[in-house]
Amino acid sequence: MQTISNRVESLSASQTLAMSQKSAELKAAGIDVINLSVGEPDFPTPEHIKVAAEKAIEDNFSFYTPVAGYMSLRKAISAKLRNENGVEFAPEQIVVGNGAKHALANVIMATVNPGDEVIIPTPAWVSYIELVKLAGGIPVLAATDITSDFKISAAQLAEAVTEKTRAIIMCSPSNPTGSVYSREELQALVYVLAQHPGVLVIADEIYEHILYTGGEFVSLGTFPQIKDRTVIINGVSKAYAMTGWRIGYCACPPEIAKAITKLQGQMTSGASSIAQKAAEAAYTGPQECVEEMRKAFERRRDMVVEMARAIPGFKVNVPNGAFYLFPEVSAYFGKTAPDGRTITNASDLAIYLLEVAHVAMVDGAAFSAPGYIRMSYATSDDNLREAFSRISKALAALC
């Protein structure tokens, strides 16, 4: 007798979480594994945010929260969007969820019907495709590669749009590539989208503050041609090192915000009271901590690019945001390891490097980009140096 629904059976497991779990299992067995598979800042949550959480406990913020989030937090997010990003969303257009992934899932479930097409430029974060599938939608993948700095062109977008297109999901800075769209590149895409007024624009902006080389973060919500049909996904996990606090949000057109609130009211209700008050302090408190972490990530970016380019066969671009490197590694396909195994694809290579070099990374196929590997450099300088030393030795042993 079938006990699992078809919708769940059709989903793929998160490969980033799966590799992180394998890494944890090896560590539990006493093996010194360096985990470059998970996209999680290694910094502690800033002190003023923790203090705000402690005060919330003392002040008895221990009851159910409004489904869409505390109004004080939604006002803080509204002010942040206006002051930092130049976009206007009233507090009533903002719904706070249990992390940015939850906010994204809410948007997709509230707007995508079975049979609707959703354009997803690839490489793409692992959950985009699966969430669209969960809603009964059809993911339409627009492939890019390292030669285009992993960015979709206006011509590609125009070709991908059909009468069934319901939405496009954009992520800049990107997970898994670290690529960042310039204002000019976004404007070219907006020109195409302006010709298709029924297409919803879902902008995942969770990495907005992790930006390098003096680049400018440009929110898709700033373009007047698509402003009224743009949804912004964001949260506190990356910029404020608050992954475990599980606070994200979507800023939406009013009718979508109302639909999401109705959906969330039946699924999870409001997010954690203590975490919301901590997030409010993150947005309204001092921001120096964000810049300090950004500088550390940029230093690490420069370090890992240099070390990766020193590895024969790795093709490496220079990511301008986030904290990932996404090298092309097909030069190692067909090679044989000392233990007799043959490396046929990036999955084999990732498993080999985990088991032999004890460094955890994620196969690019998880991001719809076979032939690549994702490395997170959200770990210490010492870990990164040791990881690349191990990787180099293990790869040199292939023949």
Side-chain angles (χ1 to χ4, degrees):
M1 183 178 72
Q2 179 178 333
T3 58
I4 305 300
S5 70
N6 292 335
R7 72 175 63 87
V8 173
E9 289 283 11
S10 70
L11 295 181
S12 299
S14 169
Q15 292 304 303
T16 55
L17 297 180
M19 186 58 83
S20 186
Q21 177 62 31
K22 289 179 183 178
S23 172
E25 290 170 358
L26 289 175
K27 282 187 175 182
I31 297 173
D32 177 24
V33 175
I34 299 175
N35 189 356
L36 306 185
S37 69
V38 65
E40 180 172 45
D42 60 319
F43 302 104
T45 300
E47 195 64 29
H48 71 280
I49 298 173
K50 293 188 287 187
V51 169
E54 293 171 357
K55 187 175 187 304
I57 294 172
E58 293 173 359
D59 291 345
N60 295 312
F61 280 90
S62 53
F63 301 96
Y64 287 132
T65 63
V67 171
Y70 285 132
M71 181 54 71
S72 58
L73 174 56
R74 293 157 72 194
K75 286 181 177 179
I77 294 169
S78 176
K80 170 258 186 292
L81 290 169
R82 180 175 61 254
N83 297 331
E84 290 187 1
N85 305 121
V87 295
E88 290 286 345
F89 285 93
E92 293 76 16
Q93 293 178 258
I94 295 164
V95 182
V96 176
N98 298 285
K101 182 185 289 190
H102 181 213
L104 176 64
N106 278 343
V107 171
I108 292 172
M109 293 301 293
T111 61
V112 175
N113 286 314
D116 285 348
E117 294 179 352
V118 179
I119 298 171
I120 304 173
T122 61
W125 181 49
V126 295
S127 292
Y128 294 155
I129 293 170
E130 301 307 316
L131 289 174
V132 170
K133 287 163 53 179
L134 186 63
I138 301 170
V140 176
L141 308 186
T144 68
D145 59 28
I146 197 167
T147 63
S148 63
D149 196 26
F150 304 108
K151 291 186 255 188
I152 186 177
S153 68
Q156 281 181 287
L157 176 57
E159 186 176 354
V161 177
T162 74
E163 60 182 14
K164 295 182 179 180
T165 302
R166 176 66 183 102
I168 179 172
I169 302 176
M170 293 290 296
C171 181
S172 176
S174 165
N175 175 7
T177 68
S179 297
V180 179
Y181 285 83
S182 68
R183 182 176 296 277
E184 291 73 24
E185 289 166 336
L186 290 176
Q187 183 64 71
L189 299 178
V190 168
Y191 177 79
V192 176
L193 292 168
Q195 301 173 55
H196 301 278
V199 176
L200 184 69
V201 180
I202 303 173
D204 183 347
E205 300 182 350
I206 192 70
Y207 294 96
E208 62 163 326
H209 286 299
I210 306 174
L211 193 69
Y212 312 131
T213 63
E216 177 192 13
F217 171 73
V218 181
S219 173
L220 276 163
T222 60
F223 293 91
Q225 303 96 317
I226 60 170
K227 178 187 180 303
D228 292 340
R229 51 189 167 104
T230 296
V231 173
I232 292 175
I233 306 292
N234 211 327
V236 295
S237 63
K238 312 300 184 181
Y240 298 96
M242 294 176 68
T243 51
W245 298 79
R246 307 311 303 139
I247 294 293
Y249 67 84
C250 52
C252 319
E255 66 277 11
I256 296 178
K258 290 177 182 177
I260 289 171
T261 301
K262 179 166 67 173
L263 173 66
Q264 186 161 298
Q266 295 292 358
M267 298 287 285
T268 64
S269 298
S272 161
S273 56
I274 307 305
Q276 284 195 58
K277 298 308 288 185
E280 185 180 335
Y283 285 125
T284 61
Q287 301 298 304
E288 290 82 2
C289 56
V290 177
E291 176 61 11
E292 289 171 5
M293 288 186 278
R294 188 206 66 79
K295 286 180 178 178
F297 286 132
E298 184 166 19
R299 186 188 68 252
R300 294 172 183 177
R301 187 278 307 264
D302 294 342
M303 181 193 313
V304 299
V305 167
E306 181 179 358
M307 291 189 294
R309 284 182 168 174
I311 297 176
F314 270 25
K315 296 179 182 176
V316 181
N317 73 323
V318 179
N320 286 326
F323 36 63
Y324 307 107
L325 194 67
F326 203 64
E328 201 272 347
V329 296
S330 63
Y332 291 94
F333 299 171
K335 292 185 179 291
T336 303
D339 61 8
R341 75 176 84 186
T342 299
I343 306 300
T344 60
N345 52 39
S347 177
D348 289 344
L349 190 63
I351 294 298
Y352 169 71
L353 291 173
L354 176 62
E355 294 177 349
V356 175
H358 301 148
V359 179
M361 293 169 285
V362 185
D363 171 17
F367 308 95
S368 300
Y372 296 82
I373 280 184
R374 192 191 77 170
M375 306 172 168
S376 168
Y377 49 89
T379 188
S380 71
D381 294 21
D382 288 344
N383 275 348
L384 291 170
R385 292 190 189 95
E386 176 62 20
F388 274 87
S389 175
R390 296 181 188 183
I391 292 167
S392 296
K393 290 177 182 176
L395 292 177
L398 296 173
C399 62

Short mmCIF file of all heavy atoms in Angstrom, two decimals, residues 12 49 56 67 115 126 130 172 177 206 220 237 243 305 307 336 366 388:
data_model
loop_
_atom_site.label_atom_id
_atom_site.label_comp_id
_atom_site.label_asym_id
_atom_site.label_seq_id
_atom_site.Cartn_x
_atom_site.Cartn_y
_atom_site.Cartn_z
N SER A 12 13.29 15.72 -5.43
CA SER A 12 14.66 15.28 -5.18
C SER A 12 15.10 15.80 -3.82
O SER A 12 14.70 16.89 -3.40
CB SER A 12 15.61 15.83 -6.26
OG SER A 12 15.23 15.36 -7.55
N ILE A 49 22.37 41.80 18.46
CA ILE A 49 21.21 41.01 18.05
C ILE A 49 20.88 39.97 19.11
O ILE A 49 19.70 39.76 19.46
CB ILE A 49 21.47 40.37 16.68
CG1 ILE A 49 21.69 41.45 15.61
CG2 ILE A 49 20.32 39.44 16.28
CD1 ILE A 49 22.11 40.92 14.26
N ALA A 56 13.91 40.16 24.59
CA ALA A 56 12.58 39.70 24.19
C ALA A 56 12.08 38.60 25.12
O ALA A 56 10.89 38.54 25.47
CB ALA A 56 12.62 39.20 22.74
N VAL A 67 0.34 36.14 12.08
CA VAL A 67 0.74 35.24 10.99
C VAL A 67 1.77 35.89 10.08
O VAL A 67 2.77 35.27 9.69
CB VAL A 67 -0.50 34.79 10.19
CG1 VAL A 67 -0.07 34.03 8.93
CG2 VAL A 67 -1.40 33.92 11.05
N GLY A 115 0.79 23.18 -14.29
CA GLY A 115 0.95 23.46 -15.71
C GLY A 115 1.59 24.79 -16.02
O GLY A 115 2.03 25.02 -17.16
N VAL A 126 19.36 24.73 -5.39
CA VAL A 126 18.72 23.42 -5.52
C VAL A 126 17.21 23.45 -5.29
O VAL A 126 16.49 22.63 -5.87
CB VAL A 126 19.37 22.42 -4.54
CG1 VAL A 126 20.82 22.17 -4.91
CG2 VAL A 126 19.28 22.90 -3.09
N GLU A 130 12.66 22.25 -7.32
CA GLU A 130 11.82 21.34 -6.55
C GLU A 130 10.57 22.02 -6.01
O GLU A 130 9.50 21.42 -5.95
CB GLU A 130 12.64 20.73 -5.40
CG GLU A 130 13.87 19.97 -5.86
CD GLU A 130 13.56 18.91 -6.90
OE1 GLU A 130 12.56 18.17 -6.73
OE2 GLU A 130 14.30 18.82 -7.90
N SER A 172 20.56 37.25 -7.61
CA SER A 172 21.79 38.04 -7.78
C SER A 172 22.04 38.82 -6.51
O SER A 172 21.16 39.57 -6.08
CB SER A 172 21.63 39.00 -8.97
OG SER A 172 22.76 39.84 -9.12
N THR A 177 26.93 30.40 -7.99
CA THR A 177 28.09 30.86 -8.76
C THR A 177 28.75 32.12 -8.23
O THR A 177 29.89 32.42 -8.57
CB THR A 177 27.68 31.13 -10.22
OG1 THR A 177 26.78 32.26 -10.25
CG2 THR A 177 26.98 29.91 -10.82
N ILE A 206 18.88 37.37 -1.15
CA ILE A 206 19.39 37.02 0.17
C ILE A 206 20.88 37.34 0.32
O ILE A 206 21.37 37.55 1.44
CB ILE A 206 19.12 35.52 0.46
CG1 ILE A 206 19.38 35.18 1.92
CG2 ILE A 206 19.94 34.63 -0.45
CD1 ILE A 206 18.38 35.74 2.88
N LEU A 220 15.76 44.21 -8.41
CA LEU A 220 14.84 44.20 -9.55
C LEU A 220 13.59 45.02 -9.26
O LEU A 220 12.90 45.47 -10.18
CB LEU A 220 14.45 42.76 -9.90
CG LEU A 220 15.44 42.04 -10.82
CD1 LEU A 220 15.22 40.54 -10.79
CD2 LEU A 220 15.32 42.58 -12.24
N SER A 237 19.63 35.61 7.40
CA SER A 237 20.55 34.50 7.63
C SER A 237 21.97 34.77 7.15
O SER A 237 22.94 34.47 7.86
CB SER A 237 20.01 33.22 6.97
OG SER A 237 19.93 33.39 5.56
N THR A 243 21.60 32.10 10.45
CA THR A 243 20.95 30.99 9.75
C THR A 243 20.00 30.21 10.65
O THR A 243 18.90 29.84 10.24
CB THR A 243 22.02 30.04 9.18
OG1 THR A 243 22.95 29.69 10.21
CG2 THR A 243 22.77 30.70 8.04
N VAL A 305 40.13 31.89 -5.00
CA VAL A 305 40.30 32.01 -6.45
C VAL A 305 41.76 31.74 -6.82
O VAL A 305 42.06 31.01 -7.77
CB VAL A 305 39.85 33.40 -6.94
CG1 VAL A 305 40.33 33.65 -8.38
CG2 VAL A 305 38.33 33.52 -6.87
N MET A 307 44.01 30.01 -5.09
CA MET A 307 44.35 28.60 -4.85
C MET A 307 43.69 27.69 -5.89
O MET A 307 44.31 26.71 -6.35
CB MET A 307 43.94 28.21 -3.44
CG MET A 307 44.77 28.87 -2.35
SD MET A 307 44.47 28.23 -0.67
CE MET A 307 42.77 28.74 -0.38
N THR A 336 41.62 7.88 -13.24
CA THR A 336 41.50 6.77 -12.30
C THR A 336 42.24 7.10 -11.01
O THR A 336 43.36 7.63 -11.03
CB THR A 336 42.06 5.48 -12.91
OG1 THR A 336 41.37 5.20 -14.13
CG2 THR A 336 41.89 4.30 -11.95
N ALA A 366 23.60 19.10 -8.92
CA ALA A 366 22.54 19.47 -7.97
C ALA A 366 21.97 20.84 -8.29
O ALA A 366 20.83 21.15 -7.94
CB ALA A 366 23.09 19.46 -6.54
N PHE A 388 42.32 23.22 0.40
CA PHE A 388 42.88 23.25 -0.95
C PHE A 388 44.19 22.47 -1.04
O PHE A 388 44.51 21.90 -2.08
CB PHE A 388 43.06 24.70 -1.42
CG PHE A 388 41.82 25.26 -2.05
CD1 PHE A 388 40.84 25.86 -1.27
CD2 PHE A 388 41.59 25.14 -3.40
CE1 PHE A 388 39.67 26.35 -1.84
CE2 PHE A 388 40.43 25.62 -3.99
CZ PHE A 388 39.47 26.23 -3.20
#
